Amino acid sequence: MQGKKDAPDADAGNGSESRSAGKKTAPQKPETVLQIANTLIASGNYKPAIGLLKSLPQENLRCAALLGLCHMDLGDYPAAIKVFEDVLRSNPNERSIEMNLATAFTLAGRHESAIDIAERLIEWEPDNPILHDILCYGYGYLGNSEKAREHGERSLLLKDVEAERSALFFPFPEEPAPAASSDPRHNIISYSLWGDQPHYVGNMIE
């Protein structure tokens, strides 16, 4: 007569499951983490993206750039500044990170620091409208209207050139469309302003 087989030990399965649960999963590749972080950023989920990016080595320039930009989008400019400054200690000649740092300084109200960086970078990139924007805003805030106007005009000219090259450029028609008297909402005059001081609206008033 064949003997009965002993019932399996109830703890044996649990032990096996415990051992499986205790196994560490392999870390994700940096490219995979960056891809997930980019998806989160595109949907406005900056905090989860920051958590992912902090899991990567901070000497990764793409990681550092994204991490700093996430902090800027959340309005945490001191954190963004720290990220960019930390990266520049080991990558002192990385101009894209320097430009991000200058932008963060501008947003944080540290205009002298922003100007110092932008003036140095603009020697290498004289046709970079972002650098001219930083200098325009910084000099304007510090009361140097002449410098602010110089860089503001240069920025607008460069952006006009870029707009003409862009597929999104819409040329003015040869003849303006007639006024839509039946629907006044279609009669819109657009005027671009970048400040609220009276001299900014002088030309429009005239």
Side-chain angles (χ1 to χ4, degrees):
M1 183 176 176
Q2 190 174 2
K4 293 182 180 179
K5 293 182 180 179
D6 292 335
D9 186 350
D11 292 334
N14 292 338
S16 175
E17 290 173 4
S18 298
R19 286 192 295 274
S20 297
K23 289 181 180 178
K24 293 183 179 179
T25 57
Q28 291 180 313
K29 294 181 179 179
E31 288 300 321
T32 303
V33 174
L34 285 169
Q35 186 176 5
I36 296 170
N38 271 315
T39 302
L40 290 169
I41 292 167
S43 59
N45 294 310
Y46 300 110
K47 290 184 178 178
I50 287 173
L52 276 175
L53 293 168
K54 284 184 175 179
S55 69
L56 293 176
Q58 295 306 294
E59 57 268 19
N60 184 308
L61 292 178
R62 286 181 60 198
C63 168
L66 284 176
L67 182 58
L69 292 172
C70 281
H71 285 304
M72 283 205 291
D73 284 331
L74 290 173
D76 191 351
Y77 307 128
I81 289 168
K82 183 179 185 306
V83 169
F84 296 138
E85 286 181 332
D86 286 347
V87 174
L88 287 170
R89 288 189 184 95
S90 53
N91 299 273
N93 298 318
E94 189 60 40
R95 293 178 200 160
S96 62
I97 299 294
E98 285 190 288
M99 190 161 65
N100 286 338
L101 177 59
T103 302
F105 277 141
T106 297
L107 294 171
R110 296 173 59 179
H111 300 290
E112 294 90 345
S113 298
I115 288 172
D116 286 344
I117 296 173
E119 285 285 18
R120 179 164 43 81
L121 292 180
I122 211 162
E123 294 181 5
W124 296 91
E125 301 181 53
D127 293 335
N128 188 317
I130 295 176
L131 293 174
H132 286 288
D133 282 342
I134 291 169
L135 292 169
C136 172
Y137 193 84
Y139 282 123
Y141 189 89
L142 297 175
N144 190 334
S145 299
E146 183 178 347
K147 282 276 192 179
R149 183 184 295 274
E150 173 191 338
H151 289 288
E153 289 178 352
R154 183 62 179 158
S155 174
L156 290 174
L157 287 172
L158 290 168
K159 290 174 183 177
D160 283 344
V161 171
E162 182 60 31
E164 290 176 1
R165 296 172 180 167
S166 171
L168 299 177
F169 173 65
F170 299 100
F172 287 111
E174 293 293 333
E175 293 290 335
S181 57
S182 60
D183 189 351
R185 293 176 301 175
H186 293 169
N187 301 326
I188 299 172
I189 297 176
S190 176
Y191 196 88
S192 175
L193 302 175
W194 57 280
D196 57 2
Q197 298 183 34
H199 64 272
Y200 294 147
V201 298
N203 293 336
M204 182 175 65
I205 293 172
E206 292 174 3

